[in-house]
Amino acid sequence: RTRARSQCVVALTSRGGRGHVPYRSTKLTNILKDSLGGNSNTVLISCIWGESAHLEETTSTLKFSARMMRVQNETSTVSTR
């Protein structure tokens, strides 16, 4: 599941403008598709733990957060008239 989210982020941040973003890979990425690559401002809060027993998970979370920071969306106002 984490890999599917990572694939979405990689597709969104690739410089060549990858044509397909695999939002349907998981329920979570499908729900978040408008936030991840759509017309919205998104905030990511990463929870990490300082104990060595959780080092692998913390490192993975920080790498994912760093990749998410490279995703750039262009927001625009939508008229509802």
Side-chain angles (χ1 to χ4, degrees), residues 42-46 61 64-69:
T42 305
V43 175
L44 172 71
I45 299 173
S46 299
T61 301
F64 179 76
S65 299
R67 285 192 302 266
M68 283 299 296
M69 287 175 37

Side-chain angles (χ1 to χ4, degrees), residues 2 4-7 9 36 44 46 58-70:
T2 302
R5 286 189 298 270
S6 294
Q7 289 175 348
V9 173
L36 293 174
L44 172 71
S46 299
T58 296
T59 303
S60 175
T61 301
L62 291 173
K63 287 180 181 177
F64 179 76
S65 299
R67 285 192 302 266
M68 283 299 296
M69 287 175 37
R70 291 190 291 250

Side-chain angles (χ1 to χ4, degrees), residues 1-73:
R1 293 178 186 171
T2 302
R3 185 175 184 157
R5 286 189 298 270
S6 294
Q7 289 175 348
C8 285
V9 173
V10 167
L12 290 168
T13 59
S14 62
R15 295 209 182 260
R18 189 171 166 185
H20 173 71
V21 180
Y23 291 120
R24 290 186 172 183
S25 298
T26 66
K27 288 181 183 179
L28 182 61
T29 54
N30 196 20
I31 291 169
L32 294 176
K33 67 182 171 186
D34 292 330
S35 297
L36 293 174
N39 185 28
S40 64
N41 291 319
T42 305
V43 175
L44 172 71
I45 299 173
S46 299
C47 299
I48 59 172
W49 196 258
E51 288 186 13
S52 61
H54 303 284
L55 183 61
E56 184 177 340
E57 187 67 27
T58 296
T59 303
S60 175
T61 301
L62 291 173
K63 287 180 181 177
F64 179 76
S65 299
R67 285 192 302 266
M68 283 299 296
M69 287 175 37
R70 291 190 291 250
V71 174
Q72 294 183 6
N73 293 343

